[in-house]
Amino acid sequence: MKGTPSHSLKKYDLEYDYEVYEDCEERREDKEILKKEPEGVEIDDINGRLQCMTLHKPEASKKELKWQKHGLWRQEQKSRVARLEKQLKARWELEGLIEEQLNRFYSYYNEAMLPSQLKDVTELLMPKWTPPLELASVTWMGDWRPSAILNILQGLVSCSSSASSYLLDSSEIEKLLPQLIHETRIEEAVIDEEMAEIQVTCILHLPFVTRNSQQGASALSSVRSEFKKIEQVVTKAQNLRFKVLEMVLKKMLNQTDAAEFLVAFEGIEDMIHQFAANQKLQKGPVTVPVKALQYC
Amino acid sequence: MYGFPDKRSPHRSNQTKAEIQSLKAHISLKSSSYPSSNPNSLHLLPLTQHPRCTVSREKKRIERIVSKMLKALAIFNRKKNSRPFKDYYNQWFNTLKNKLLPGLRNSIYGSSPALISIHVEMLHHHFQSYYHALDLAASSDVSQVLFPDWRNSLEKPFLWLGDFHPYLFTNLVRSFLDNDSDDEDERNDDSEVLIPCLVDLGDKSVFSEKPWQLASSWKDPPKTLITQIEQIECGMRLMVPSMVTRMRNAQAGFVEKSAQDWLQFREKKEAAKAVVEESVKAEMDEIVCIFLDANRLRRTVLAEIISATTVNQAAQFLEELAQFLIGFRDHELLSEFEQCKTSMSKQCRLRH
């Protein structure tokens, strides 16, 4: 569990505190059990002890004390192990949750959002449900820019090292991050190149250019083949995004930090989304001044 | 042509102005009729009932109303003096499709070849004015220009920073140059030089053959043209990657700052909102600069191509470019496209 106390309240701190509180409760219960012990399940045993005490009176008090100490020790041992077990379970639970979240990302990118129609490919690239301001500020190929996911981590880590410790193992990550961001950006650039190739060269295979002017079915088939290429590029972008996320959650961060990262990621995304959605409502569709247009 | 939301605008605006005038008069009347001649008597009154207080309160109240109305008027005027870019684009497109392209074609294939240069100029100006309007729109809200809802789903994937990639212009020129050398390679007889094509002359579509001077205008292009195109391409190769990098860096800076802000203001929603607003604004300012640079590149590439080519070449280039844009909005193809299913199987998208 977390060693250094953080001044900010976090979900998991709350849980931790709650558990400490529960532990106190347990301890209190332990004592009660100890008090009740003579009347408890081990009553025969105690009867035996009492008989012993009557037989060997001089040593009886010493022995009684030892028995009691041993009982206490065993109880404490039991409750400690129970607490450990509980923490272990919580850890497994946390791991399960992180895994589940990662799988959700995977299935979102690879199953839920799988285009069934050609126009869905466009929706993947420029989703209508995301406000334009959000698209412009954080996205690349229709969703979070993979290297920007690492920039989130960088932001969290840089904050951790100064004031509050949000992530535990920040020093290691701080060293690793620049290299990883650099590598991810190279992969992004490769995908960017592929997209540009479609936008500047393959675009001329569309049926609108005079020399490959086609009508009807053949026109549609050339559109389809270009959209297939676009879809492949989008898929590559999604895979890169998922790869980065998987690397952050499974390889770079320990379990607690991974959970913290997921909470932060969602929080930041929501913060930007709320603002962008609000702006969209306030601003309305983009306009141009009529006067300026007259002089165009 | 494209009516604004409120057609009663002049009347309503006059009415609002009149109201504001009367309110202003009211304010000046109040403040001038204020009995400042006998200030001593005022000290006897409790502060809350102080005439100066009530007057100033009243004045403030009216000022508030006036400022609200002025704001409303400003928004109203802004609406009156500006139009949605979507409307502008539709009108621009229709002018291109129904007026300028048929005009250019008439001059190319019709009876007035002397007018080609005028039509070339008109079409070129039309494209330049569109990019100018796009600049204006971007300065108002660049995010909507980068993700334009006035473009259909067939066009959108081909957009690079809000419009077609500037490489497309030179590639179109290259397609003419390559096309011609292809023709030369496989030439059997002279009839191949004449390229039959369906030409839309506005009111009627005719099968026409390009006049020989047009068909041969790309033949044996002078070295200077090829050198100039290479120079334009070289310039783009230097500029395009820097724009992509700047875009990425703007996002990286914004995201990193947002992460820090989120940590700092998690519990304070209002403060967080103000901080986000500030950093989004900074990011958008940078993105506007990138967009304006991209658009400037498109504009200059277009202008350089027009000036590097002969009138006949420029006419063909612009015809092709216009046809290309119009093709994306072909109703029949678009409706077929929108119903078309993808054939991609799940195997294609294997993990990694």
Side-chain angles (χ1 to χ4, degrees):
Chain A
M1 263 297 174
K2 202 162 176 137
T4 47
S6 157
H7 58 69
S8 53
L9 274 179
K10 284 188 282 285
K11 250 191 200 170
Y12 121 106
D13 272 344
L14 283 173
E15 267 171 30
Y16 177 63
D17 291 341
Y18 178 59
E19 272 158 17
V20 169
Y21 176 72
E22 269 194 347
D23 289 345
C24 293
E25 290 268 277
E26 271 171 26
R27 269 188 218 165
R28 214 174 298 146
E29 278 168 17
D30 290 348
K31 277 178 194 164
E32 276 165 19
I33 288 168
L34 275 178
K35 271 184 214 160
K36 284 176 193 166
E37 203 180 43
E39 310 153 20
V41 189
E42 294 171 51
I43 203 140
D44 290 342
D45 187 30
I46 288 161
N47 278 343
R49 272 190 252 167
L50 281 172
Q51 275 169 12
C52 285
M53 275 155 71
T54 47
L55 283 172
H56 315 283
K57 240 182 179 172
E59 289 174 16
S61 60
K62 264 191 184 178
K63 247 194 176 172
E64 191 186 6
L65 211 67
K66 275 189 180 173
W67 277 100
Q68 265 185 10
K69 273 185 181 169
H70 179 75
L72 192 72
W73 183 80
R74 274 194 61 191
Q75 281 303 327
E76 274 183 356
Q77 190 82 339
K78 260 190 195 169
S79 83
R80 273 207 195 92
V81 168
R83 266 150 60 203
L84 271 175
E85 210 177 359
K86 205 169 168 184
Q87 288 305 325
L88 275 173
K89 264 186 200 160
R91 220 176 73 184
W92 293 126
E93 210 168 295
L94 195 62
E95 195 177 317
L97 281 173
I98 293 166
E99 187 71 24
E100 198 183 306
Q101 185 77 350
L102 198 60
N103 286 337
R104 292 284 296 171
F105 277 115
Y106 180 78
S107 60
Y108 177 77
Y109 291 139
N110 292 280
E111 284 150 30
M113 303 307 286
L114 201 71
S116 61
Q117 286 186 309
L118 286 186
K119 63 174 178 182
D120 295 344
V121 178
T122 307
E123 291 280 285
L124 279 179
L125 268 175
M126 292 192 188
K128 279 181 186 157
W129 48 87
T130 313
L133 198 60
E134 188 181 348
L135 286 173
S137 55
V138 297
T139 69
W140 169 81
M141 303 272 166
D143 207 322
W144 270 81
R145 185 183 278 275
S147 62
I149 296 175
L150 294 170
N151 290 130
I152 289 187
L153 195 55
Q154 203 171 32
L156 295 177
V157 166
S158 70
C159 242
S160 310
S161 55
S162 57
S164 58
S165 50
Y166 187 71
L167 298 179
L168 284 173
D169 297 337
S170 52
S171 57
E172 266 302 296
I173 300 162
E174 224 165 354
K175 278 181 226 156
L176 276 171
L177 263 177
Q179 181 63 22
L180 282 171
I181 290 175
H182 178 71
E183 282 167 13
T184 310
R185 283 176 170 181
I186 291 172
E187 288 191 64
E188 277 172 17
V190 171
I191 295 170
D192 269 335
E193 280 294 308
E194 280 181 42
M195 193 62 182
E197 182 64 17
I198 294 169
Q199 288 172 335
V200 302
T201 310
C202 301
I203 192 173
L204 295 174
H205 300 154
L206 290 172
F208 322 132
V209 188
T210 320
R211 70 177 160 137
N212 40 346
S213 169
Q214 297 149 333
Q215 302 281 317
S218 64
L220 191 65
S221 78
S222 67
V223 169
R224 190 205 290 263
S225 87
E226 294 318 310
F227 268 72
K228 201 169 170 175
K229 287 177 199 163
I230 297 165
E231 197 192 350
Q232 277 164 347
V233 173
V234 175
T235 307
K236 274 185 191 172
Q238 283 170 342
N239 284 343
L240 178 61
R241 199 172 286 128
F242 184 77
K243 197 176 96 178
V244 168
L245 209 57
E246 197 177 33
M247 187 173 66
V248 168
L249 295 176
K250 286 196 161 172
K251 296 199 178 129
M252 293 178 73
L253 300 177
N254 64 38
Q255 212 179 55
T256 329
D257 282 352
E260 296 271 28
F261 175 80
L262 280 173
V263 173
F265 189 15
E266 203 280 326
I268 293 160
E269 191 174 22
D270 190 57
M271 181 176 81
I272 297 167
H273 176 79
Q274 292 299 336
F275 179 76
N278 217 1
Q279 283 284 303
K280 192 185 174 186
L281 276 177
Q282 275 179 15
K283 274 198 164 181
V286 65
T287 58
V288 274
V290 178
K291 264 191 187 168
L293 290 177
Q294 285 166 356
Y295 300 114
C296 287
Chain B
M1 189 184 266
Y2 293 94
F4 293 110
D6 198 331
K7 285 186 177 166
R8 298 161 295 150
S9 50
H11 169 69
R12 254 182 62 175
S13 117
N14 285 342
Q15 199 178 11
T16 332
K17 270 183 193 162
E19 273 173 46
I20 286 168
Q21 281 301 324
S22 76
L23 275 166
K24 273 186 174 170
H26 184 65
I27 293 168
S28 60
L29 196 75
K30 277 263 176 187
S31 47
S32 63
S33 66
Y34 169 62
S36 58
S37 52
N38 187 12
N40 292 338
S41 61
L42 300 172
H43 291 291
L44 303 168
L45 292 161
L47 203 63
T48 44
Q49 286 169 24
H50 202 289
R52 199 197 290 258
C53 246
T54 44
V55 168
S56 71
R57 246 199 239 149
E58 174 80 344
K59 193 178 158 188
K60 268 187 188 159
R61 195 177 68 83
I62 294 168
E63 269 175 351
R64 259 206 309 276
I65 296 169
V66 170
S67 84
K68 264 188 195 168
M69 290 183 82
L70 281 174
K71 262 188 203 163
L73 190 71
I75 292 168
F76 184 69
N77 274 343
R78 202 165 65 220
K79 273 194 179 159
K80 202 180 80 176
N81 292 328
S82 62
R83 58 186 305 196
F85 191 85
K86 196 176 185 171
D87 287 356
Y88 164 80
Y89 184 77
N90 286 335
Q91 193 186 11
W92 179 88
F93 178 83
N94 288 335
T95 310
L96 178 75
K97 187 185 172 191
N98 302 328
K99 224 170 103 190
L100 295 172
L101 183 62
L104 179 75
R105 279 180 171 160
N106 256 325
S107 68
I108 297 175
Y109 305 99
S111 52
S112 50
L115 294 175
I116 289 183
S117 70
I118 294 170
H119 286 282
V120 164
E121 193 46 50
M122 277 166 72
L123 226 78
H124 181 209
H125 180 261
H126 195 60
F127 274 104
Q128 293 289 348
S129 69
Y130 158 70
Y131 286 119
H132 179 68
L134 209 55
D135 278 351
L136 289 173
S139 310
S140 147
D141 183 355
V142 71
S143 66
Q144 289 190 54
V145 176
L146 289 177
F147 300 93
D149 66 346
W150 49 87
R151 298 285 199 158
N152 63 44
S153 45
L154 187 56
E155 290 170 290
K156 280 178 183 172
F158 295 96
L159 301 178
W160 177 83
L161 286 177
D163 195 71
F164 289 112
H165 202 293
Y167 277 147
L168 178 65
F169 300 144
T170 49
N171 278 1
L172 263 181
V173 176
R174 288 254 173 224
S175 78
F176 282 112
L177 293 169
D178 298 345
N179 211 17
D180 221 73
S181 57
D182 287 352
D183 284 347
E184 224 163 287
D185 293 343
E186 56 195 47
R187 180 163 53 183
N188 297 322
D189 57 83
D190 282 346
S191 67
E192 283 228 351
V193 179
L194 298 170
I195 306 158
C197 54
L198 188 69
V199 178
D200 182 7
L201 290 178
D203 50 346
K204 58 184 192 299
S205 293
V206 288
F207 258 106
S208 170
E209 286 186 341
K210 282 184 185 175
W212 71 269
Q213 71 270 26
L214 271 180
S216 61
S217 65
W218 295 97
K219 247 175 78 181
D220 303 325
K223 272 209 165 150
T224 49
L225 174 63
I226 294 174
T227 323
Q228 273 172 304
I229 296 297
E230 274 169 2
Q231 272 172 357
I232 297 169
E233 285 170 339
C234 189
M236 281 195 288
R237 266 199 293 276
L238 287 173
M239 292 181 79
V240 167
S242 83
M243 287 173 197
V244 176
T245 308
R246 277 164 68 198
M247 190 74 190
R248 190 196 61 205
N249 290 347
Q251 288 188 334
F254 168 74
V255 168
E256 198 180 326
K257 188 171 180 304
S258 296
Q260 291 166 348
D261 291 341
W262 179 81
L263 261 186
Q264 210 176 341
F265 298 99
R266 256 180 309 173
E267 307 299 327
K268 305 159 207 154
K269 280 216 162 166
E270 277 309 304
K273 215 173 136 189
V275 171
V276 175
E277 188 170 0
E278 196 184 303
S279 43
V280 166
K281 198 186 166 295
E283 189 197 12
M284 288 307 136
D285 285 349
E286 171 61 10
I287 293 179
V288 168
C289 291
I290 302 165
F291 177 81
L292 293 183
D293 283 348
N295 233 15
R296 191 174 303 121
L297 188 62
R298 284 189 269 256
R299 282 208 308 258
T300 42
V301 168
L302 202 57
E304 279 174 9
I305 289 173
I306 302 296
S307 78
T309 48
T310 64
V311 174
N312 284 341
Q313 286 167 339
Q316 281 185 301
F317 166 76
L318 286 171
E319 184 201 4
E320 193 75 29
L321 184 62
Q323 179 52 48
F324 196 70
L325 268 174
I326 291 162
F328 273 107
R329 291 195 152 203
D330 183 271
H331 290 302
E332 209 177 306
L333 182 69
L334 197 61
S335 67
E336 276 177 25
F337 165 79
E338 289 193 330
Q339 287 156 17
C340 186
K341 297 229 180 309
T342 51
S343 54
M344 219 167 165
S345 62
K346 279 193 181 179
Q347 280 83 24
C348 298
R349 21 178 74 248
L350 281 174
R351 206 164 166 170
H352 307 311

